[in-house]
């Protein structure tokens, strides 16, 4: 798998944080878990339940030594969300995300969670959420090569 980075861009690879000092292309020759810096959510940005769920999943991907603890936190949060939301589309998507995480496809789960942010915003603002199209079906292959 080949990844291109701009100057100053960060990439998280198997728990290590790398920053490119110039434009560079990296080719991963074996299995690797990575997340581009632009997809990393900072702790102070976890302002909604889905963003908190994303953060826990992100930790599983970028910090292998904390994966088990982050997975437990993810499962607790997911269980709480399934008990809180009544929107059928949200519930369906969350169950699919759970399945994806159980299959250790964390990158795919992150993309799916990001795709639900608009639906979450609509639900939290009092809307029905019916007008937001499902986006988790349009998943990019996971970030392993």
């Amino acid at each position: 798998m080949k990844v291109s980075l701009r100057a100053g861009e960060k990439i998280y690879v198997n728990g290590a944080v790398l920053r490119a000092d110039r434009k560079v292309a990296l080719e991963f020759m074996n299995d690797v878990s990575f997340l581009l810096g632009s997809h990393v959510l900072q702790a102070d940005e976890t302002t909604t339940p889905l963003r908190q769920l994303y953060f826990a999943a992100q930790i599983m991907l970028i910090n292998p030594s904390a994966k088990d603890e982050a997975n437990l936190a993810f499962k607790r949060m997911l269980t709480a969300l399934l008990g809180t939301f009544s929107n059928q589309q949200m519930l369906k998507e969350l169950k699919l995300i759970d399945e994806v995480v159980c299959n250790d496809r964390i990158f795919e789960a992150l993309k799916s969670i990001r795709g639900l942010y608009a639906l979450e915003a609509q639900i939290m603002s009092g809307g029905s959420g019916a007008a937001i199209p499902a986006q988790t079906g349009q998943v990019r292959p996971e970030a392993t090569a």
Side-chain angles (χ1 to χ4, degrees):
M1 173 171 283
K2 198 172 199 177
V3 177
S4 296
L5 301 173
R6 296 181 305 268
E9 190 172 13
K10 290 181 186 176
I11 186 169
Y12 296 74
V13 181
N14 288 350
V17 181
L18 308 169
R19 182 175 45 222
D21 65 349
R22 62 183 72 86
K23 184 177 178 181
V24 64
L26 302 173
E27 185 173 1
F28 297 115
M29 304 299 288
N30 61 347
D31 289 341
V32 63
S33 294
F34 72 91
L35 190 61
L36 295 174
S38 60
H39 290 151
V40 173
L41 193 65
Q42 300 302 316
D44 63 341
E45 297 172 312
T46 58
T47 56
T48 70
L50 279 183
R51 289 176 187 273
Q52 292 168 3
L53 187 69
Y54 183 97
F55 190 78
Q58 164 187 290
I59 296 300
M60 287 187 269
L61 187 65
I62 65 175
N63 189 353
S65 64
K67 184 175 184 174
D68 292 339
E69 185 178 332
N71 193 7
L72 288 174
F74 178 89
K75 293 294 184 187
R76 281 193 304 269
M77 287 181 217
L78 184 66
T79 299
L81 289 174
L82 289 169
T84 301
F85 283 113
S86 60
N87 178 284
Q88 291 304 307
Q89 180 182 352
M90 179 65 79
L91 294 172
K92 177 184 170 194
E93 299 296 336
L94 288 172
K95 288 174 186 172
L96 290 172
I97 289 167
D98 184 32
E99 184 178 323
V100 167
V101 169
C102 285
N103 290 322
D104 204 31
R105 296 180 356 232
I106 308 303
F107 184 84
E108 188 176 330
L110 291 173
K111 183 167 178 163
S112 297
I113 294 168
R114 280 193 312 268
L116 292 174
Y117 286 169
L119 177 59
E120 178 188 41
Q122 187 171 3
I123 292 168
M124 291 179 74
S125 70
S128 69
I132 305 295
Q135 296 181 15
T136 55
Q138 304 169 358
V139 175
R140 180 179 124 177
E142 65 182 304
T144 56

